[in-house]
Amino acid sequence: MLFFSYFKDLVGREVTVELKNDLAIRGTLHSVDQYLNIKLENTRVVDQDKYPHMLSVRNCFIRGSVVRYVQLPPDGVDVELLHDATRREARGG
Amino acid sequence: MLCKNIAVNPSCQGFSDSGVQEVFPLCTETISVITNDGRNIVGILKGFDQATNIILDESHERVYSTKEGVQQLVLGLYIIRGDNISIVGELDEELDSSLDLSNLRAHPLKPVIH
């Protein structure tokens, strides 16, 4: 639940999602759900010459199960806050 | 059971208690699906459910290769199991018609490795 809330706070920010098939897609985070499925707007594939498969796609839904990394904006994470929250959750509070 | 639960046009919605509905593009759109084995299937979204199972109508597969342009194979009405889906993209028809697929060459996408 913690990371679901965390990603919800990132809505509207620019992120790069790297998939488990090595495709990397950059776009504005539109929404996230409980499975960490991600919807991006104004998407572009990072290496379009190598991967022209999504040239005519501007909005897309990415299944949470195929996400390898989400690259965040540099100021997108408050490490202290996240540390505290993960410790609280680990304690079961 | 699947037929009873899966949402079908014209109402075309997922479960109301599901997050999938919130993040899913609207129905009757032309969408481009990339599957876990690297295939690209384009068709009209007719329905989906909370497991991302998808019904596509008038669908075709776009086969990419480095030796020749993109081949389009007609598939018709298709159900794709959610397990096997990586990306669902909303196809911008204007952008799509401006592409010269017959001259587009690329390696096929790699399969997803979990």
Side-chain angles (χ1 to χ4, degrees), chain A residues 48-83:
Chain A
Q48 284 203 333
D49 295 332
K50 194 176 172 193
Y51 302 110
H53 310 73
M54 289 181 64
L55 278 176
S56 44
V57 172
R58 282 293 161 266
N59 302 308
C60 76
F61 166 93
I62 302 170
R63 206 168 191 272
S65 61
V66 300
V67 174
R68 185 185 287 141
Y69 301 120
V70 181
Q71 296 174 23
L72 311 169
D75 59 343
V77 54
D78 183 337
V79 180
E80 288 302 315
L81 196 74
L82 203 57
H83 269 167

Side-chain angles (χ1 to χ4, degrees), chain B residues 13-24:
Chain B
Q13 289 176 325
F15 280 71
S16 55
D17 61 342
S18 161
V20 171
Q21 185 182 27
E22 186 194 328
V23 292
F24 226 82

Side-chain angles (χ1 to χ4, degrees), chain A residues 6-7 9-17 25-30 38-46 58 70-77:
Chain A
Y6 173 64
F7 277 116
D9 284 343
L10 278 176
V11 163
R13 311 292 294 271
E14 183 99 340
V15 296
T16 304
V17 181
I25 304 170
R26 188 159 177 77
T28 308
L29 189 63
H30 174 276
I38 289 173
K39 196 177 164 193
L40 295 181
E41 285 183 335
N42 295 316
T43 56
R44 58 196 177 281
V45 171
V46 172
R58 282 293 161 266
V70 181
Q71 296 174 23
L72 311 169
D75 59 343
V77 54

Side-chain angles (χ1 to χ4, degrees), chain B residues 25-83:
Chain B
L26 291 170
C27 287
T28 70
E29 285 293 334
T30 303
I31 59 165
S32 161
V33 176
I34 292 176
T35 60
N36 287 357
D37 57 359
R39 282 192 249 200
N40 181 5
I41 301 171
V42 175
I44 300 165
L45 183 62
K46 288 289 175 183
F48 64 88
D49 69 3
Q50 83 285 7
T52 346
N53 297 314
I54 280 179
I55 306 174
L56 283 185
D57 199 9
E58 297 170 38
S59 62
H60 65 270
E61 179 179 350
R62 292 186 178 173
V63 184
Y64 287 81
S65 80
T66 47
K67 295 212 168 61
E68 50 185 358
V70 177
Q71 298 262 359
Q72 306 207 43
L73 304 176
V74 175
L75 301 174
L77 184 64
Y78 236 52
I79 293 182
I80 311 173
R81 193 174 153 84
D83 284 353

